[in-house]
């Protein structure tokens, strides 16, 4: 099998633009990116994005540049804002990994890239080992961070958990580490399902307590008759969450809880309104930077 080549796109942003860039990349289905502080200044960051060459032609590249330029109000008539380069698969793997290190989240979790050995100082942490192949998140995104912070204060012992939009499987793994009896993971991307499965096995040596489902949540729920979950975890974009809330309600047993993340602060009120309309009681709201995490409960 021939090695895949990649475009590496680099450009600089003001630090306070990081969250809107993350939101847009997630909306576009782009998950291979990093942010690096520039030594010369504290208020600028370098954005690095990796894109598979076989999926990006001149037209899609031009469209992407226009999207980012509009987002940042950049007028780049001389085409000097974006720096494109081509790197080979093996170079891409090396360049990607150098941006990752252990990530402490909340009071109990440590996200650990699988190529790094755990330090003794972290022996009291719940370690989540991740090898996402640079396709999905490592927990550093504020929405994932907020979810994990919320989860560590919930008792998952012997519970049945549904993870919607599982990605690299971080929340599924966290639920199992916290004592969940069964974890059901749903994603509409086969790469995400593969990543969830492989990372689950990486952490537990098997996937006996994990069931994965490929497809749209609103289709999967009816096909497999999902019902009576104790917890639902949903870390995706707000526009998608809005459409799922009625069906999520029907997945929950009475008094069960749901945690929503991936919501921008500006979208919070609309999500809360839809929750109330669907008889889900608001329990808690937390925020980090421009992102909000909402937990709610189905009444008896």
């Amino acid at each position: 099998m021939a090695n895949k080549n990649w475009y590496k796109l680099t450009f600089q942003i003001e630090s306070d633009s990081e969250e809107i860039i993350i939101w847009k990349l997630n909306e576009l289905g782009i998950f291979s990116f990093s942010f690096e502080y520039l030594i010369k200044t504290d208020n600028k960051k370098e954005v690095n994005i990796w894109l598979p060459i076989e999926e990006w032609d001149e037209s899609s590249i031009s469209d992407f540049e226009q999207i980012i330029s509009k987002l940042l109000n950049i007028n780049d008539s001389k085409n000097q804002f974006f720096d494109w380069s081509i790197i080979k698969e093996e170079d891409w793997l090396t360049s990607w990994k150098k941006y990752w290190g252990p990530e402490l989240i909340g009071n109990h979790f440590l996200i650990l890239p699988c190529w790094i050995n755990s330090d003794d100082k972290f022996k009291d942490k719940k370690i989540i080992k991740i090898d996402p192949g640079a396709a999905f998140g490592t927990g550093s995104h504020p929405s994932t961070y907020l979810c994990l912070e919320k989860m560590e204060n919930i008792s998952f012992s012997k519970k049945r958990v549904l993870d919607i939009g599982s990605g690299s499987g971080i929340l599924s793994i966290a639920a199992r580490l916290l004592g969940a009896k069964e974890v059901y993971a749903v994603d509409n991307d086969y790469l995400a399902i593969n990543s969830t499965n492989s990372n689950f096995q990486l952490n537990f040596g098997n996937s006996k307590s994990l069931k994965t489902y490929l497809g749209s949540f609103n289709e999967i729920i009816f096909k497999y008759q999902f019902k009576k979950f104790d917890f639902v975890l949903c870390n995706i974009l707000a526009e998608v969450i809005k459409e799922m809330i009625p069906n999520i309600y029907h997945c929950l047993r009475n008094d069960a809880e749901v945690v929503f993340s991936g919501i921008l602060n500006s979208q919070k009120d609309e999500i809360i309104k839809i929750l109330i309309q669907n008889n889900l009681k608001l329990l808690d709201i937390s925020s980090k930077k421009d992102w909000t995490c909402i937990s709610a409960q189905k009444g008896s």
Side-chain angles (χ1 to χ4, degrees):
M1 182 175 176
N3 283 341
K4 183 190 294 185
N5 290 335
W6 297 77
Y7 287 120
K8 181 182 178 184
L9 169 62
T10 301
F11 56 91
Q12 294 182 18
I13 60 169
E14 300 292 329
S15 292
D16 58 8
S17 297
E18 178 180 353
E19 299 308 317
I20 194 66
I21 291 291
I22 292 174
W23 172 78
K24 177 55 70 174
L25 293 176
N26 276 263
E27 185 182 56
L28 295 171
I30 298 171
F31 303 101
S32 300
F33 57 84
S34 71
F35 294 84
E36 185 175 15
Y37 280 105
L38 298 176
I39 297 175
K40 296 178 181 179
T41 172
D42 290 332
N43 65 346
K44 283 189 177 292
K45 286 185 177 181
E46 183 178 84
V47 184
N48 298 285
I49 302 172
W50 291 265
L51 303 167
I53 286 179
E54 62 186 27
E55 298 176 18
W56 288 78
D57 57 20
E58 289 187 13
S59 177
S60 56
I61 287 173
S62 177
D63 290 343
F64 184 63
E65 286 187 352
Q66 290 181 33
I67 290 170
I68 298 300
S69 296
K70 183 177 180 181
L71 196 66
L72 300 175
N73 294 316
I74 300 295
N75 183 9
D76 187 31
S77 59
K78 296 183 179 179
N79 197 31
Q80 296 177 342
F81 183 72
F82 300 101
D83 179 25
W84 292 86
S85 58
I86 296 177
I87 55 177
K88 295 184 180 296
E89 175 84 0
E90 57 268 24
D91 298 326
W92 170 73
L93 290 171
T94 301
S95 65
W96 176 257
K97 287 181 179 180
K98 76 177 183 180
Y99 294 103
W100 284 9
E103 177 99 14
L104 283 168
I105 294 183
N107 295 316
H108 302 296
F109 286 115
L110 175 73
I111 308 295
L112 187 68
C114 67
W115 55 85
I116 299 176
N117 293 323
S118 177
D119 194 291
D120 285 343
K121 66 182 179 181
F122 299 129
K123 62 184 180 182
D124 62 332
K125 301 298 182 183
K126 294 188 180 299
I127 296 175
I128 302 175
K129 297 178 183 178
I130 293 295
D131 182 12
F136 301 98
T138 60
S140 59
H141 190 287
S143 65
T144 308
Y145 192 106
L146 285 167
C147 263
L148 290 170
E149 272 193 325
K150 184 74 63 181
M151 290 174 68
E152 68 179 4
N153 295 312
I154 296 173
S155 174
F156 283 88
S157 180
K158 299 181 181 180
K159 301 300 184 180
R160 192 164 174 257
V161 178
L162 173 61
D163 180 8
I164 304 173
S166 61
S168 57
I170 287 178
L171 301 186
S172 291
I173 294 165
R176 184 71 184 92
L177 286 172
L178 293 168
K181 180 181 179 181
E182 293 180 306
V183 180
Y184 292 66
V186 177
D187 205 293
N188 60 7
D189 187 333
Y190 79 95
L191 291 175
I193 292 297
N194 289 343
S195 186
T196 296
N197 274 310
S198 63
N199 282 324
F200 205 88
Q201 292 188 38
L202 178 65
N203 283 268
F204 305 110
N206 62 69
S207 54
K208 293 178 181 178
S209 56
L210 174 71
K211 296 182 180 179
T212 54
Y213 299 85
L214 173 63
S216 162
F217 167 73
N218 287 335
E219 295 173 356
I220 294 291
I221 181 179
F222 291 111
K223 182 177 180 180
Y224 296 99
Q225 295 297 299
F226 280 0
K227 292 180 181 178
K228 296 184 178 179
F229 283 95
D230 298 295
F231 289 96
V232 172
L233 307 169
C234 189
N235 180 25
I236 49 181
L237 295 175
E239 290 302 316
V240 182
I241 288 174
K242 289 190 295 186
E243 298 176 359
M244 291 181 174
I245 289 174
N247 284 333
I248 288 175
Y249 174 87
H250 293 296
C251 283
L252 296 166
R253 65 162 178 79
N254 290 342
D255 297 322
E257 296 181 26
V258 55
V259 177
F260 295 103
S261 198
I263 302 165
L264 288 168
N265 290 338
S266 60
Q267 301 166 319
K268 174 183 65 178
D269 291 342
E270 185 179 8
I271 294 295
I272 292 172
K273 180 179 179 181
I274 297 173
L275 291 176
I276 293 171
Q277 291 172 344
N278 285 273
N279 299 311
L280 286 165
K281 176 186 175 183
L282 189 66
L283 292 179
D284 185 64
I285 301 172
S286 56
S287 61
K288 182 177 175 64
K289 297 185 178 180
D290 294 327
W291 300 86
T292 294
C293 180
I294 300 173
S295 60
Q297 183 179 43
K298 180 177 179 178
S300 302

